């Protein structure tokens, strides 16, 4: 069989922090707050919690089962568990998704580095709101500057992946997750103590059900999928490095709680600060690169050193969160290449990095000078976002739920969830029921709705 040394996580804590690192990313600090702003604050948060715990966690557990029972990359996993069938195409679609997400995600991750740099040079001081818009547009459409940051970001990801599972992914997750947590707590502390911050806190805690309609449910479920890194084998690949005594259900609950907690804390950074200077929270995707640097300047007016530190820590936080996610995406593709094409891990990693640099550069250029790099009327950047988030991930998630719920031998599922009978899993039946019926049906509804088929 496979003689390649795969490696594994050295400790349970390391495994949980690595999976949580994958989940916690730009999705938490950037996307969750603006979705919350768009869809009525606390009401959205309540629905989101329902989506995470009722649907997200069972699918995460299904991914863990596939990964740990096969001890293989996402393509090899299906080939081992369902030999001679077409299920392997879910795995291959996952690898393709990893390349695509990693490429456009690294573009935005690169922007966070530019903002860290700007923050260090005190470049935000004294700008007016109009100047923040102009400077962001000039930067993101500049033909070379974002590319440098993109390449740097991918090289940092490469460096960690090339060091291996325990010395790379686990070591850096254990290092970066506590740093991220401390950064968040400091920022929340500063933000909620601003004058007028209470309006923002109220917005996050008092549900406004008047904004709730079916779109809110769709947005919440889509956000839960993205934020928990579901549907393309990231968590399968990580679970293939779990030890045999890792408690899968409990690990999934921990990852879900950490991810949700950090997303909500990110809301407690952004809304109190935004409300304290009277800026609307539903500012859309430009929130973190245009609105927030402006908010930070105005919120700490009179205390320029506080504005300086706050901005710097915030963009550092984003960069760290993005890095723990990009390594998980990179690992999906690297594990596939080194195992399926039997080559050293470092060479596989290099291939992935080079390919992502190429696709990432095209994505980045497609937002500015290279507008013609587009397909179906969408710039490459938006196209890859659309294909992965709206097509591949929901299809992958639904198929993995069906695979574990219906196809996979129930004995394997039971062995995995109970660690061969050693653990009592009270929720076993509920998990299987959700995987069989609820998850595929819910995803199908979203899918049809998002594509506007009806
Ligand atoms: N979950 C990460 C975030 O919130 C992004 C991410 C990492 C991801 N791996 C993924 C999203 C796999 C979808 C699928 O930013």
């Amino acid at each position: 069989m496979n003689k390649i040394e795969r490696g594994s996580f050295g400790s349970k804590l390391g495994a949980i922090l690595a999976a949580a690192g994958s989940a916690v990313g730009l999705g938490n600090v950037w996307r969750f707050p603006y979705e919350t702003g768009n869809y009525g604050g606390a009401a959205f948060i309540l629905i989101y919690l329902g989506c995470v715990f009722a649907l997200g966690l069972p699918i995460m557990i299904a991914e863990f089962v596939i990964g740990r029972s096969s001890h293989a990359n996402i393509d090899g996993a299906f080939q081992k568990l369902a030999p001679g069938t077409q299920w392997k195409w879910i795995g291959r679609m996952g690898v393709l998704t990893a390349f695509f997400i990693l490429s456009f995600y690294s573009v935005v991750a690169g922007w966070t580095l530019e903002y860290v740099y700007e923050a260090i040079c005190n470049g935000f001081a004294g700008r007016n709101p109009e100047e923040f818009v102009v400077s962001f547009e000039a930067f993101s459409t500049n033909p070379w500057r974002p590319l440098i940051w993109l390449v740097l970001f991918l090289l940092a990801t490469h460096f960690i992946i090339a060091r291996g599972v325990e010395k790379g992914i686990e070591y850096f997750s254990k290092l970066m997750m506590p740093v991220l947590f401390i950064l968040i707590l400091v920022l929340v502390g500063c933000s909620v103590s601003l004058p007028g911050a209470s309006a923002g806190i109220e917005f996050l805690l008092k549900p406004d059900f008047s904004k709730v309609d079916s779109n809110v449910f769709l947005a919440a479920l889509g956000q839960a999928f993205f934020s928990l890194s579901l549907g393309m084998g990231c968590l399968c690949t990580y679970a293939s490095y779990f030890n045999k005594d890792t408690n899968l259900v409990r690990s999934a609950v921990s990852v879900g709680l950490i991810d949700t907690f950090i997303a909500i804390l990110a809301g407690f950074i952004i809304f109190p600060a935004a409300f304290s200077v009277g800026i609307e929270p539903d500012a859309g995707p430009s929130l973190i690169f245009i609105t927030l640097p402006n908010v930070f300047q105005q919120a700490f007016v009179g205390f320029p050193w506080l504005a300086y530190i706050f901005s710097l820590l915030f963009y550092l936080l984003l960069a760290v969160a993005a890095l723990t996610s990009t390594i998980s995406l990179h690992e999906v593709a690297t594990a596939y290449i080194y195992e399926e094409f039997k080559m050293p891990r470092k060479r596989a990693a290099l291939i992935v990095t080079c390919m992502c640099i190429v696709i990432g550069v095209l994505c980045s250029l497609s937002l500015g000078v290279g507008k013609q790099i587009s397909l179906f009327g969408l710039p490459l950047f938006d196209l890859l976002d659309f294909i992965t988030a709206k097509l591949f991930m929901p299809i992958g998630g639904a198929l993995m739920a069906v695979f574990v719920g219906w196809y996979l031998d129930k004995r394997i599922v039971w062995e995995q969830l109970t660690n061969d009978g050693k653990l009592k899993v009270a929720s076993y039946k509920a998990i299987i029921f959700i995987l069989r019926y609820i998850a595929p049906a819910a995803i199908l509804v979203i899918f049809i709705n998002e594509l506007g088929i009806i």
Side-chain angles (χ1 to χ4, degrees):
M1 284 278 306
N2 202 342
K3 293 208 184 58
I4 297 171
E5 183 52 59
R6 315 192 67 242
S8 65
F9 289 123
S11 66
K12 285 185 206 167
L13 178 70
I16 291 180
L17 287 183
S22 167
V24 174
L26 296 174
N28 301 59
V29 190
W30 166 53
R31 211 161 163 251
F32 179 81
Y34 87 69
E35 294 279 37
T36 305
N38 272 337
Y39 292 108
F44 176 81
I45 297 180
L46 285 177
I47 295 167
Y48 177 78
L49 287 176
C51 291
V52 167
F53 289 94
L55 283 168
L57 293 193
I59 296 183
M60 189 186 294
I61 292 168
E63 292 208 20
F64 282 171
V65 168
I66 297 172
R68 198 180 55 175
S69 62
S70 63
H71 283 293
N73 68 85
I74 179 73
D75 175 39
F78 285 102
Q79 298 202 43
K80 273 193 186 169
L81 299 175
T85 65
Q86 300 304 321
W87 285 103
K88 58 176 181 271
W89 290 102
I90 308 180
R92 293 181 181 169
M93 186 170 77
V95 175
L96 193 65
T97 311
F99 273 111
F100 286 173
I101 300 185
L102 182 55
S103 301
F104 75 79
Y105 196 88
S106 301
V107 173
V108 182
W111 295 350
T112 66
L113 292 183
E114 161 85 8
Y115 274 61
V116 169
Y117 173 77
E118 285 268 338
I120 292 175
C121 307
N122 205 13
F124 301 133
R127 278 194 203 158
N128 64 34
E130 197 40 47
E131 283 165 344
F132 278 107
V133 179
V134 173
S135 64
F136 174 70
E137 283 181 352
F139 162 69
S140 62
T141 55
N142 183 295
W144 59 272
R145 217 177 149 92
L147 304 188
I148 295 175
W149 296 118
L150 161 78
V151 171
L152 265 179
F153 205 92
L154 280 167
L155 289 181
T157 308
H158 176 87
F159 168 76
I160 296 176
I161 290 296
R163 285 174 52 117
V165 176
E166 197 175 344
K167 291 207 192 99
I169 300 174
E170 181 172 1
Y171 178 81
F172 281 93
S173 301
K174 276 185 171 163
L175 198 73
M176 289 192 285
M177 291 308 283
V179 170
L180 190 138
F181 198 63
I182 293 169
L183 284 177
I184 289 213
L185 289 183
V186 171
L187 289 166
V188 170
C190 283
S191 184
V192 297
S193 49
L194 286 168
S198 55
I201 298 173
E202 192 172 303
F203 176 78
L204 281 167
L205 296 181
K206 243 202 204 144
D208 169 10
F209 287 104
S210 69
K211 280 197 182 168
V212 174
D213 56 22
S214 67
N215 285 333
V216 178
F217 283 90
L218 299 179
L221 195 53
Q223 171 62 18
F225 250 66
F226 189 83
S227 190
L228 295 173
S229 302
L230 297 179
M232 45 73 66
C234 247
L235 297 174
C236 280
T237 304
Y238 271 12
S240 74
Y241 304 124
F242 283 4
N243 295 324
K244 65 177 188 327
D245 52 353
T246 299
N247 182 333
L248 295 188
V249 176
R250 197 179 291 163
S251 304
V253 173
S254 309
V255 173
L257 285 175
I258 295 174
D259 187 61
T260 309
F261 189 55
I262 292 199
I264 292 176
L265 285 182
F268 275 95
I269 298 175
I270 291 170
F271 292 110
F275 274 88
S276 84
V277 291
I279 288 179
E280 278 290 301
D282 52 347
S286 55
L287 181 69
I288 52 170
F289 294 109
I290 296 176
T291 314
L292 284 185
N294 176 33
V295 164
F296 299 157
Q297 290 308 313
Q298 294 190 31
F300 299 102
V301 72
F303 300 93
W305 61 276
L306 259 177
Y308 179 87
I309 293 179
F310 197 93
S311 311
L312 178 59
L313 293 185
F314 181 78
Y315 290 103
L316 214 53
L317 164 76
L318 273 173
V320 172
L323 187 57
T324 56
S325 296
T326 51
I327 57 177
S328 72
L329 290 158
H330 199 297
E331 182 62 25
V332 172
T334 301
Y336 166 71
I337 294 183
Y338 82 74
E339 283 181 1
E340 296 304 314
F341 298 93
K342 315 243 179 310
M343 63 171 76
R345 181 183 173 87
K346 287 205 164 106
R347 193 182 314 151
L350 192 63
I351 294 177
V352 176
T353 303
C354 292
M355 285 175 65
C356 286
I357 288 179
V358 173
I359 312 175
V361 163
L362 294 175
C363 276
S364 182
L365 292 176
S366 78
L367 296 174
V369 286
K371 284 203 182 63
Q372 64 280 21
I373 311 175
S374 65
L375 211 62
F376 309 119
L378 284 176
L380 187 65
F381 183 98
D382 300 285
L383 183 75
L384 294 187
D385 182 11
F386 178 86
I387 295 181
T388 53
K390 303 262 154 84
L391 296 176
F392 289 1
M393 280 163 50
I395 296 177
L399 289 176
M400 284 198 266
V402 170
F403 182 79
V404 173
W406 293 97
Y407 181 88
L408 196 61
D409 189 343
K410 283 295 128 336
R411 217 190 47 227
I412 298 184
V413 181
W414 186 83
E415 275 169 15
Q416 287 298 325
L417 292 193
T418 63
N419 286 355
D420 262 339
K422 283 198 224 60
L423 306 168
K424 272 214 155 55
V425 180
S427 51
Y428 182 79
K429 285 212 171 103
I431 294 170
I432 299 292
F433 182 78
I434 293 174
L435 291 178
R436 286 192 151 194
Y437 303 101
I438 314 277
I443 296 170
L444 191 71
V445 171
I446 297 199
F447 191 61
I448 291 175
N449 227 298
E450 287 207 323
L451 290 183
I453 297 174
I454 35 176

